[in-house]
Amino acid sequence: MAGYKNVVKLGLGMAALALVGLPQMAAAQVYRCSSSSGTYISDKPCGGVPSGKLGMVGPTDRRQDYNVGSSSITPSVGKAPDHLAYLSPECAQLNDAIRTAPARGLKYDVINDLRNEYRRKCSEDERNAYQQLAQQQRGERDARQSQIAAQQQQANESARNREQCGELLRILTAKRRQEATMTPGEKADLQRFQANYEQRCKG
């Protein structure tokens, strides 16, 4: 009889331990994973990106589900095309709607319908917009080239003027050394030469 009671106590003890461990088992997650041999179920995350989480064994935590969902990647919005400013208002709106559609969560069939509508309504408008953009870019490029050429010409003229003024100063310095022996006419020429130098090189 005593042996029977011990067996009963042992069985109750094991049952209690099982109840204690139940919350941990209830929190286990189950994943559907894919491999080269097919799809399989696992209690651990798949190697790489999980193919799909089946859920949780036992009660779920809504806050945990919310956090998992909030970590999903949202497609980024691409840069607006340069010719957008030259499109008609309707075509510009369609172009912008197509560009931002993935980030707004639109389905593929809706995006495809938008693209078909854009091709139908805006093909000619888009060609004209590209032509206007190309014309503007050519104008800006020509303006830059003209500015560079003008700056180069000004730099060349400045260098040539400095060289000429340096030569005039050399001649003026040499004449001044001979001023004491100059005739009145030569002195008058020296004064005119000096006035010309100051006007051209110091004015």
Side-chain angles (χ1 to χ4, degrees), residues 113-124:
D113 290 342
L114 288 173
R115 287 173 176 167
N116 290 334
E117 183 179 0
Y118 184 80
R119 282 193 292 267
R120 185 174 64 255
K121 292 183 177 180
C122 303
S123 295
E124 183 67 24

Side-chain angles (χ1 to χ4, degrees), residues 44-181:
K44 297 180 180 180
C46 308
V49 180
S51 298
K53 185 189 296 183
L54 294 180
M56 300 181 68
V57 180
T60 60
D61 187 346
R62 290 183 177 274
R63 289 176 299 177
Q64 184 178 5
D65 292 341
Y66 175 80
N67 290 335
V68 172
S70 63
S71 63
S72 59
I73 299 176
T74 301
S76 60
V77 178
K79 178 181 177 294
D82 293 334
H83 72 286
L84 186 66
Y86 298 98
L87 291 173
S88 65
E90 181 182 6
C91 292
Q93 291 177 356
L94 277 173
N95 188 291
D96 192 66
I98 294 170
R99 180 174 57 87
T100 61
R104 292 184 288 113
L106 297 185
K107 295 182 179 179
Y108 174 79
D109 55 346
V110 177
I111 299 175
N112 193 47
D113 290 342
L114 288 173
R115 287 173 176 167
N116 290 334
E117 183 179 0
Y118 184 80
R119 282 193 292 267
R120 185 174 64 255
K121 292 183 177 180
C122 303
S123 295
E124 183 67 24
D125 193 55
E126 188 171 56
R127 280 194 293 270
N128 293 334
Y130 275 120
Q131 290 176 358
Q132 294 180 54
L133 175 63
Q135 183 176 0
Q136 177 195 350
Q137 291 174 342
R138 283 195 300 269
E140 292 175 351
R141 183 173 60 251
D142 292 343
R144 288 194 300 269
Q145 291 177 349
S146 298
Q147 183 180 7
I148 293 173
Q151 292 174 347
Q152 184 63 45
Q153 182 178 1
Q154 183 179 2
N156 293 338
E157 290 178 355
S158 296
R160 185 165 53 251
N161 186 61
R162 287 194 301 270
E163 185 177 357
Q164 290 176 353
C165 288
E167 180 64 17
L168 291 177
L169 180 59
R170 185 191 67 79
I171 296 173
L172 179 61
T173 302
K175 287 181 176 294
R176 284 173 178 172
R177 293 194 188 102
Q178 301 173 2
E179 185 176 4
T181 60

